[in-house]
Amino acid sequence: MKKVFCLLAWMAGMAGAEMKPISTDGAGWRGDPMTWKFRQDGIHCTLTNGTGIAVYSAAPLASNVTVEAVFTPQNAQGLGWAVASVAIVADEHNFWHLALVQTPPEHGCKHTVELTEMRDGEWLAQSNLKLEINEENGQKWVFGQPYRLTLSLNKSGITGAIAASDGRPILRKRFVFTAAAVKCGRPAVRIGGFTGTFAELRSESSEPATEVAAEATFPAYAMENTVPGITDQATGFFHVVQRPDGRWWAIDPRGRGVVLMGVDHVTFRGHWCEKLGYSPHQKKNEKKYTDHAEWESETLGRLKTWGFTMLGAGCDSKLKHRGLAHTEFLSIGDHLATLGDEYDITPNERRPCSSFPNVFHPDFEAYCRYRVQQSCVPNRNDPWLFGYFIDNELAWWGRGGSETGLFDAVMKKGAAHTAKIALRDFLARQAGNDVAKFNALWGAQLKGFDEILTLNALPVANDAQRAVKRDFLRFAADRYFSVAARAIRAADPNHLVLGARFAGTSGADPVVWEVSGKYCDVVTFNCYPMADLDEGRVYTRFGKGGELVTGHFAKFYDYVKRPMLITEWSFPALDAGLPSVHGAGQRFRTQTERTAATSLFARTMLSLPFLLGYDYFMWVDEPAL
């Protein structure tokens, strides 16, 4: 016991004499600005679904580090594990943390404390070490009360102490480095499922450690399914070029033309079946193949033999860099719209075509920079990567019409919502800051533009009103695409910006298509057209309003003036042995009819000079149940 108190006295002396305050206004910190609010009085997390680590990157990577903070927990999401901790972080896969914890409901939402390690991506990795001190006094932490967390690492081990505001110790724990462990890092804080504030942050670092090179290396590029006679400059990465005959081509890293033909969701597992409680495709593969590697080899062989050149969305990562190009999802807006009303214009309801982010949030640009820093920087030297999708099937129409729905969704927001404030300012500019002009257009009797914030709707009774709402849609699209594309290119200048996978040509108003072409290298969209086998032609749909896809898609090329890529299409058949009756795509009775439709689709699409190719949706059908 005497040894324990000596150790704590040493820690207290170190904190009082050597640790220096850390600024919490954001300077020197690296963390998601939507999760972390860096303020003078502390680092706040105001989202119960906020997660992540904020690292004090201004400190050197060191093998002698102490970090201390006072955390006041306010609330927890109550759905899963909630943690709030001070941490010493080497990288996102290697760190120690000292935490307040709330267990999930199935474990009673108990309040506990812990000192644990993530090593090489494995959680609770500290079990290989000698536990020298392990003292808890049984006192449980409570919401609304501050707790001092002190974590100290040196070459011999790591020590954590948690104390209540009156100084009473709650946890004293020390691991000795008797085996492999994370032995260096930077001060950090970590959150998952809590709201609360980290205040009085202090740290000390000495004995700098060697930084590991951050740049990833990739296998040399080599793909055989290229187009003879189509060549351009070999840049080491994919790019697009328009030839003198007007046709656009994708050019591979070695300067050769490629027709992009991909397949989505190529996975060993296939789809989970809720009724069975497992994936039947996975079980069949486990019986058929000796191991995962055999499946990978056979699957890649099939794809290459069949002429495919790209892995589409959602494919097994172990198939990458082995003869086919691939793409990456950033999900910038989709993720932002999960964080709550402040961060969305329409919320992410965990289904396609539901979410639209609040692009007018003051932290939107910083958020984009953070997201692409995490996702794009590790990939910037990858020659196999074709480019980045910003998002998939956003709700550009809000919950209403394609021209007016986004405007109407913002009008329903509260007076303090930053999108509503941006809309007020937009309407004031549109009226030349003349409220009488505004009233005349909208049939209103406002005394000032601030009264717009109290309204929840404006009419769309005439073309002039519709035009203003459409101009706001253009304004929002410009904000979204310009900020996202700029952030991507700053983080990774080597790869293409592939748009946001519109939900069909009707998935966004033409003004949005125009804006996307202004900022994106390639404009992407999902579509499920109809093949008329008797006529030998492909239509957008049958019946009233249907158009030949050749002319219809050409219209949209005129909007974007950039090459286009179809990122989903399919023709399911009813004799597949599975029902194939749900989801998009024209149904055919037999595989023979399906083959004829696919051939017709392929020849029609590849006749279009602006289309780079297409991704088939998808590798395997969903389970029968």
Side-chain angles (χ1 to χ4, degrees):
M1 183 62 72
K2 183 176 180 181
K3 181 178 180 181
V4 172
F5 283 117
C6 288
L7 176 64
L8 291 173
W10 169 77
M11 288 179 63
M14 182 176 183
E18 299 184 44
M19 283 199 290
K20 297 179 181 179
I22 302 176
S23 171
T24 57
D25 62 3
W29 286 92
R30 185 177 70 248
D32 186 342
M34 296 306 184
T35 296
W36 306 101
K37 307 300 180 188
F38 298 99
R39 304 289 185 260
Q40 293 288 348
D41 64 336
I43 302 175
H44 302 254
C45 181
T46 58
L47 301 168
T48 55
N49 55 349
T51 59
I53 296 175
V55 178
Y56 188 55
S57 56
L61 187 74
S63 54
N64 193 337
V65 183
T66 299
V67 58
E68 180 179 272
V70 174
F71 180 70
T72 304
Q74 296 298 337
N75 194 9
Q77 62 183 351
L79 299 175
W81 292 90
V83 296
S85 66
V86 297
I88 296 174
V89 174
D91 58 51
E92 62 181 356
H93 302 296
N94 294 275
F95 60 84
W96 287 92
H97 89 164
L98 175 69
L100 305 185
V101 179
Q102 178 173 287
T103 65
E106 58 267 30
H107 296 288
C109 292
K110 297 175 182 176
H111 290 188
T112 65
V113 290
E114 68 181 24
L115 171 59
T116 51
E117 179 191 35
M118 166 83 78
R119 188 173 72 253
D120 296 330
E122 180 184 348
W123 195 235
L124 304 180
Q126 74 279 356
S127 58
N128 65 322
L129 302 177
K130 178 183 177 182
L131 180 59
E132 187 175 66
I133 300 169
N134 186 23
E135 296 183 356
E136 293 187 49
N137 69 359
Q139 180 181 349
K140 303 300 182 185
W141 63 265
V142 296
F143 288 111
Q145 295 297 313
Y147 297 90
R148 186 173 297 276
L149 291 79
T150 307
L151 183 61
S152 186
L153 176 147
N154 58 30
K155 290 184 176 179
S156 63
I158 189 160
T159 306
I162 300 176
S165 57
D166 60 5
R168 284 183 298 166
I170 295 174
L171 173 72
R172 300 167 174 172
K173 202 160 192 172
R174 176 174 172 79
F175 289 99
V176 180
F177 291 156
T178 53
V182 176
K183 297 181 180 180
C184 64
R186 291 182 172 88
V189 290
R190 184 170 182 261
I191 203 80
F194 269 119
T195 63
T197 303
F198 291 92
E200 299 180 32
L201 275 88
R202 297 190 293 172
S203 75
E204 181 274 338
S205 299
S206 61
E207 301 183 25
T210 302
E211 294 271 12
V212 178
E215 293 288 347
T217 58
F218 300 92
Y221 175 82
M223 184 167 67
E224 300 309 318
N225 288 332
T226 58
V227 182
I230 303 298
T231 60
D232 196 69
Q233 181 182 4
T235 65
F237 301 98
F238 281 94
H239 66 281
V240 292
V241 64
Q242 188 175 27
R243 290 171 65 86
D245 63 0
R247 178 171 286 277
W248 285 92
W249 287 93
I251 304 297
D252 82 351
R254 293 168 61 183
R256 304 170 301 173
V258 176
V259 177
L260 298 173
M261 295 186 183
V263 184
D264 293 330
H265 300 291
V266 184
T267 65
F268 181 87
R269 182 173 181 265
H271 304 279
W272 182 263
C273 180
E274 291 82 358
K275 286 193 175 182
L276 294 174
Y278 62 85
S279 166
H281 187 71
Q282 179 178 359
K283 284 190 174 292
K284 290 178 181 178
N285 278 343
E286 287 171 346
K287 291 180 180 179
K288 180 176 180 179
Y289 300 103
T290 56
D291 55 23
H292 198 284
E294 183 185 1
W295 171 84
E296 294 165 25
S297 178
E298 180 177 304
T299 299
L300 287 166
R302 286 181 173 188
L303 290 169
K304 294 173 190 177
T305 300
W306 294 341
F308 287 102
T309 57
M310 188 162 72
L311 298 168
C315 293
D316 194 308
S317 62
K318 292 183 179 179
L319 301 177
K320 294 179 180 178
H321 310 117
R322 297 169 65 179
L324 300 171
H326 65 272
T327 54
E328 294 287 346
F329 267 101
L330 300 179
S331 299
I332 286 175
D334 214 36
H335 171 73
L336 185 60
T338 66
L339 301 181
D341 182 71
E342 178 185 349
Y343 304 96
D344 70 56
I345 289 175
T346 58
N348 187 330
E349 297 172 349
R350 306 296 181 183
R351 60 179 176 85
C353 304
S354 66
S355 64
F356 196 85
N358 180 9
V359 297
F360 303 107
H361 193 284
D363 292 329
F364 179 66
E365 192 158 358
Y367 160 79
C368 286
R369 289 197 300 268
Y370 175 79
R371 291 282 293 185
V372 303
Q373 188 75 18
Q374 299 298 105
S375 301
C376 299
V377 169
N379 293 309
R380 63 187 173 193
N381 291 330
D382 187 351
W384 297 88
L385 175 62
F386 182 64
Y388 300 103
F389 300 120
I390 307 173
D391 272 300
N392 179 62
E393 296 189 338
L394 293 178
W396 290 97
W397 56 90
R399 293 289 187 267
S402 65
E403 295 176 293
T404 61
L406 201 71
F407 181 106
D408 295 341
V410 174
M411 283 299 297
K412 290 181 172 66
K413 293 295 187 181
H417 198 281
T418 50
K420 187 75 167 283
I421 293 168
L423 177 54
R424 175 205 62 188
D425 296 343
F426 170 84
L427 290 171
R429 288 194 302 273
Q430 184 273 337
N433 291 311
D434 183 347
V435 73
K437 184 178 178 182
F438 173 89
N439 286 337
L441 174 61
W442 298 99
Q445 295 181 338
L446 304 189
K447 295 178 181 178
F449 285 105
D450 281 349
E451 291 185 40
I452 292 171
L453 300 176
T454 67
L455 304 178
N456 61 15
L458 282 170
V460 60
N462 57 55
D463 289 343
Q465 293 168 346
R466 181 174 288 103
V468 172
K469 292 190 176 187
R470 200 176 192 220
D471 284 344
F472 179 75
L473 175 61
R474 185 192 300 273
F475 179 53
D478 198 276
R479 173 76 176 159
Y480 170 84
F481 282 112
S482 66
V483 171
R486 182 166 60 247
I488 293 167
R489 291 187 177 111
D492 180 356
N494 297 325
H495 293 104
L496 300 169
V497 179
L498 304 180
R501 291 171 53 111
F502 295 132
T505 52
S506 61
D509 187 83
V511 300
V512 179
W513 285 77
E514 291 172 6
V515 173
S516 71
K518 181 179 173 183
Y519 295 106
C520 299
D521 300 300
V522 179
V523 175
T524 52
F525 64 108
N526 304 333
C527 72
Y528 292 87
M530 303 292 178
D532 189 317
L533 298 183
D534 294 327
E535 289 187 11
R537 296 196 289 186
V538 182
Y539 289 88
T540 55
R541 62 177 179 269
F542 293 140
K544 186 178 179 180
E547 300 178 58
L548 290 173
V549 293
T550 48
H552 183 75
F553 290 170
K555 223 172 14 180
F556 283 81
Y557 174 66
D558 287 341
Y559 297 139
V560 301
K561 298 177 174 58
R562 295 298 303 168
M564 297 161 69
L565 177 68
I566 293 173
T567 38
E568 284 185 19
W569 72 277
S570 71
F571 293 127
L574 300 178
D575 67 344
L578 293 171
S580 296
V581 293
H582 298 292
Q586 179 187 3
R587 267 58 182 176
F588 287 93
R589 291 169 298 177
T590 66
Q591 299 296 327
T592 300
E593 290 179 347
R594 179 196 198 193
T595 301
T598 297
S599 176
L600 177 59
F601 173 89
R603 288 183 281 109
T604 303
M605 294 302 101
L606 297 181
S607 73
L608 299 174
F610 48 82
L611 198 69
L612 299 175
Y614 44 72
D615 287 348
Y616 185 79
F617 187 86
M618 52 192 167
W619 178 243
V620 294
D621 291 327
E622 293 181 347
L625 296 179

